[in-house]
Amino acid sequence: MAVLDDKRTAGRGIVDVVEARLHRLGRQVSRQSYVAGERGFRALLSRMEKDRLRVAYIGGYHTEVGLLVRQAAEAKADLTVMANDPLMTSEFWAITGSAGNGTLFTFMPNPAGNANAASAVAGLKASGLPGEGYTLYACAAVQAWAEAVNAERLLQC
């Protein structure tokens, strides 16, 4: 199994955790990095193919992960890609198209699918904002903060 990071703090951090857990489970891991903003992954994919690496956990953003997934599919690589929440965006699918099918990622439950959030999702979309990913979580955080500020003002009256 390969673990890849984009050399950024967040990407390295998540991969450090994944790598450590895999080691605790007794798994051999090949740690590799790429440069954030990279567009061509053929050399990396060739090395992984040569080393018979079939699963890669990637700590990086959706653009690079999407390009890697698409290029792996174009190269007919036998590779399963896993990543974390940066893939929770429609932009990932715009990059990969059907090549993204089978990509695995972790994310907390998507509140956009919750019936109780339907009006909030509709309101966000009507405002031109996506109702996916962290948008609902961020909106709820801002609302909670605004309510706390208003409550503080009421207490000062």
PDB file of all heavy atoms in Angstrom, residues 32-46:
ATOM      1  N   GLN A  32       5.342   8.185  -0.183  1.00  0.00           N
ATOM      2  CA  GLN A  32       5.818   9.006  -1.285  1.00  0.00           C
ATOM      3  C   GLN A  32       5.134  10.365  -1.217  1.00  0.00           C
ATOM      4  O   GLN A  32       4.084  10.516  -0.602  1.00  0.00           O
ATOM      5  CB  GLN A  32       5.530   8.325  -2.626  1.00  0.00           C
ATOM      6  CG  GLN A  32       6.199   6.970  -2.730  1.00  0.00           C
ATOM      7  CD  GLN A  32       5.987   6.309  -4.063  1.00  0.00           C
ATOM      8  OE1 GLN A  32       5.979   6.956  -5.091  1.00  0.00           O
ATOM      9  NE2 GLN A  32       5.818   4.994  -4.037  1.00  0.00           N
ATOM     10  N   SER A  33       5.750  11.344  -1.865  1.00  0.00           N
ATOM     11  CA  SER A  33       5.191  12.693  -1.899  1.00  0.00           C
ATOM     12  C   SER A  33       5.144  13.205  -3.323  1.00  0.00           C
ATOM     13  O   SER A  33       5.875  12.732  -4.189  1.00  0.00           O
ATOM     14  CB  SER A  33       6.044  13.650  -1.058  1.00  0.00           C
ATOM     15  OG  SER A  33       6.046  13.271   0.291  1.00  0.00           O
ATOM     16  N   TYR A  34       4.301  14.183  -3.539  1.00  0.00           N
ATOM     17  CA  TYR A  34       4.254  14.921  -4.798  1.00  0.00           C
ATOM     18  C   TYR A  34       4.126  16.384  -4.436  1.00  0.00           C
ATOM     19  O   TYR A  34       3.833  16.738  -3.296  1.00  0.00           O
ATOM     20  CB  TYR A  34       3.114  14.440  -5.701  1.00  0.00           C
ATOM     21  CG  TYR A  34       1.739  14.618  -5.106  1.00  0.00           C
ATOM     22  CD1 TYR A  34       1.012  15.783  -5.317  1.00  0.00           C
ATOM     23  CD2 TYR A  34       1.168  13.626  -4.315  1.00  0.00           C
ATOM     24  CE1 TYR A  34      -0.245  15.953  -4.762  1.00  0.00           C
ATOM     25  CE2 TYR A  34      -0.085  13.788  -3.756  1.00  0.00           C
ATOM     26  CZ  TYR A  34      -0.788  14.947  -3.988  1.00  0.00           C
ATOM     27  OH  TYR A  34      -2.031  15.118  -3.440  1.00  0.00           O
ATOM     28  N   VAL A  35       4.334  17.231  -5.402  1.00  0.00           N
ATOM     29  CA  VAL A  35       4.287  18.669  -5.153  1.00  0.00           C
ATOM     30  C   VAL A  35       2.861  19.173  -5.370  1.00  0.00           C
ATOM     31  O   VAL A  35       2.242  18.891  -6.405  1.00  0.00           O
ATOM     32  CB  VAL A  35       5.264  19.419  -6.091  1.00  0.00           C
ATOM     33  CG1 VAL A  35       5.167  20.920  -5.882  1.00  0.00           C
ATOM     34  CG2 VAL A  35       6.683  18.932  -5.858  1.00  0.00           C
ATOM     35  N   ALA A  36       2.341  19.893  -4.391  1.00  0.00           N
ATOM     36  CA  ALA A  36       1.008  20.493  -4.532  1.00  0.00           C
ATOM     37  C   ALA A  36       0.992  21.325  -5.807  1.00  0.00           C
ATOM     38  O   ALA A  36       1.938  22.050  -6.106  1.00  0.00           O
ATOM     39  CB  ALA A  36       0.690  21.364  -3.324  1.00  0.00           C
ATOM     40  N   GLY A  37      -0.066  21.188  -6.578  1.00  0.00           N
ATOM     41  CA  GLY A  37      -0.177  21.903  -7.843  1.00  0.00           C
ATOM     42  C   GLY A  37       0.326  21.105  -9.030  1.00  0.00           C
ATOM     43  O   GLY A  37       0.171  21.533 -10.168  1.00  0.00           O
ATOM     44  N   GLU A  38       0.912  19.941  -8.763  1.00  0.00           N
ATOM     45  CA  GLU A  38       1.412  19.085  -9.845  1.00  0.00           C
ATOM     46  C   GLU A  38       0.259  18.680 -10.753  1.00  0.00           C
ATOM     47  O   GLU A  38      -0.867  18.480 -10.308  1.00  0.00           O
ATOM     48  CB  GLU A  38       2.089  17.848  -9.238  1.00  0.00           C
ATOM     49  CG  GLU A  38       2.876  17.029 -10.232  1.00  0.00           C
ATOM     50  CD  GLU A  38       3.761  16.006  -9.559  1.00  0.00           C
ATOM     51  OE1 GLU A  38       4.249  16.276  -8.445  1.00  0.00           O
ATOM     52  OE2 GLU A  38       3.954  14.943 -10.144  1.00  0.00           O
ATOM     53  N   ARG A  39       0.543  18.558 -12.031  1.00  0.00           N
ATOM     54  CA  ARG A  39      -0.493  18.199 -13.008  1.00  0.00           C
ATOM     55  C   ARG A  39      -0.259  16.844 -13.657  1.00  0.00           C
ATOM     56  O   ARG A  39      -1.176  16.234 -14.165  1.00  0.00           O
ATOM     57  CB  ARG A  39      -0.576  19.266 -14.105  1.00  0.00           C
ATOM     58  CG  ARG A  39      -1.008  20.612 -13.590  1.00  0.00           C
ATOM     59  CD  ARG A  39      -2.484  20.598 -13.334  1.00  0.00           C
ATOM     60  NE  ARG A  39      -2.974  21.881 -12.899  1.00  0.00           N
ATOM     61  CZ  ARG A  39      -3.647  22.067 -11.790  1.00  0.00           C
ATOM     62  NH1 ARG A  39      -3.892  21.072 -10.992  1.00  0.00           N
ATOM     63  NH2 ARG A  39      -4.089  23.254 -11.453  1.00  0.00           N
ATOM     64  N   GLY A  40       0.981  16.377 -13.654  1.00  0.00           N
ATOM     65  CA  GLY A  40       1.301  15.117 -14.308  1.00  0.00           C
ATOM     66  C   GLY A  40       1.780  14.088 -13.309  1.00  0.00           C
ATOM     67  O   GLY A  40       2.743  14.322 -12.579  1.00  0.00           O
ATOM     68  N   PHE A  41       1.106  12.940 -13.281  1.00  0.00           N
ATOM     69  CA  PHE A  41       1.409  11.898 -12.303  1.00  0.00           C
ATOM     70  C   PHE A  41       1.873  10.601 -12.954  1.00  0.00           C
ATOM     71  O   PHE A  41       1.940   9.573 -12.298  1.00  0.00           O
ATOM     72  CB  PHE A  41       0.177  11.645 -11.425  1.00  0.00           C
ATOM     73  CG  PHE A  41      -0.163  12.824 -10.573  1.00  0.00           C
ATOM     74  CD1 PHE A  41      -1.102  13.748 -10.981  1.00  0.00           C
ATOM     75  CD2 PHE A  41       0.488  13.023  -9.367  1.00  0.00           C
ATOM     76  CE1 PHE A  41      -1.408  14.854 -10.199  1.00  0.00           C
ATOM     77  CE2 PHE A  41       0.190  14.121  -8.573  1.00  0.00           C
ATOM     78  CZ  PHE A  41      -0.757  15.040  -8.995  1.00  0.00           C
ATOM     79  N   ARG A  42       2.229  10.644 -14.222  1.00  0.00           N
ATOM     80  CA  ARG A  42       2.611   9.416 -14.930  1.00  0.00           C
ATOM     81  C   ARG A  42       3.840   8.759 -14.302  1.00  0.00           C
ATOM     82  O   ARG A  42       3.878   7.538 -14.138  1.00  0.00           O
ATOM     83  CB  ARG A  42       2.860   9.710 -16.406  1.00  0.00           C
ATOM     84  CG  ARG A  42       1.657  10.317 -17.092  1.00  0.00           C
ATOM     85  CD  ARG A  42       1.061   9.380 -18.096  1.00  0.00           C
ATOM     86  NE  ARG A  42      -0.006  10.088 -18.812  1.00  0.00           N
ATOM     87  CZ  ARG A  42      -1.278   9.740 -18.740  1.00  0.00           C
ATOM     88  NH1 ARG A  42      -1.622   8.720 -18.010  1.00  0.00           N
ATOM     89  NH2 ARG A  42      -2.190  10.401 -19.405  1.00  0.00           N
ATOM     90  N   ALA A  43       4.865   9.545 -13.946  1.00  0.00           N
ATOM     91  CA  ALA A  43       6.085   8.967 -13.357  1.00  0.00           C
ATOM     92  C   ALA A  43       5.765   8.311 -12.008  1.00  0.00           C
ATOM     93  O   ALA A  43       6.219   7.192 -11.734  1.00  0.00           O
ATOM     94  CB  ALA A  43       7.164  10.035 -13.193  1.00  0.00           C
ATOM     95  N   LEU A  44       4.976   8.985 -11.178  1.00  0.00           N
ATOM     96  CA  LEU A  44       4.584   8.428  -9.892  1.00  0.00           C
ATOM     97  C   LEU A  44       3.775   7.150 -10.089  1.00  0.00           C
ATOM     98  O   LEU A  44       4.015   6.135  -9.423  1.00  0.00           O
ATOM     99  CB  LEU A  44       3.782   9.455  -9.094  1.00  0.00           C
ATOM    100  CG  LEU A  44       3.206   9.003  -7.757  1.00  0.00           C
ATOM    101  CD1 LEU A  44       4.311   8.581  -6.796  1.00  0.00           C
ATOM    102  CD2 LEU A  44       2.376  10.117  -7.138  1.00  0.00           C
ATOM    103  N   LEU A  45       2.845   7.169 -11.025  1.00  0.00           N
ATOM    104  CA  LEU A  45       2.035   5.986 -11.306  1.00  0.00           C
ATOM    105  C   LEU A  45       2.894   4.840 -11.825  1.00  0.00           C
ATOM    106  O   LEU A  45       2.674   3.684 -11.468  1.00  0.00           O
ATOM    107  CB  LEU A  45       0.917   6.331 -12.294  1.00  0.00           C
ATOM    108  CG  LEU A  45      -0.198   7.212 -11.726  1.00  0.00           C
ATOM    109  CD1 LEU A  45      -1.056   7.782 -12.843  1.00  0.00           C
ATOM    110  CD2 LEU A  45      -1.037   6.445 -10.725  1.00  0.00           C
ATOM    111  N   SER A  46       3.887   5.143 -12.639  1.00  0.00           N
ATOM    112  CA  SER A  46       4.791   4.103 -13.153  1.00  0.00           C
ATOM    113  C   SER A  46       5.587   3.469 -12.020  1.00  0.00           C
ATOM    114  O   SER A  46       5.749   2.240 -11.978  1.00  0.00           O
ATOM    115  CB  SER A  46       5.758   4.691 -14.188  1.00  0.00           C
ATOM    116  OG  SER A  46       5.062   5.043 -15.347  1.00  0.00           O
TER     117      SER A  46
END
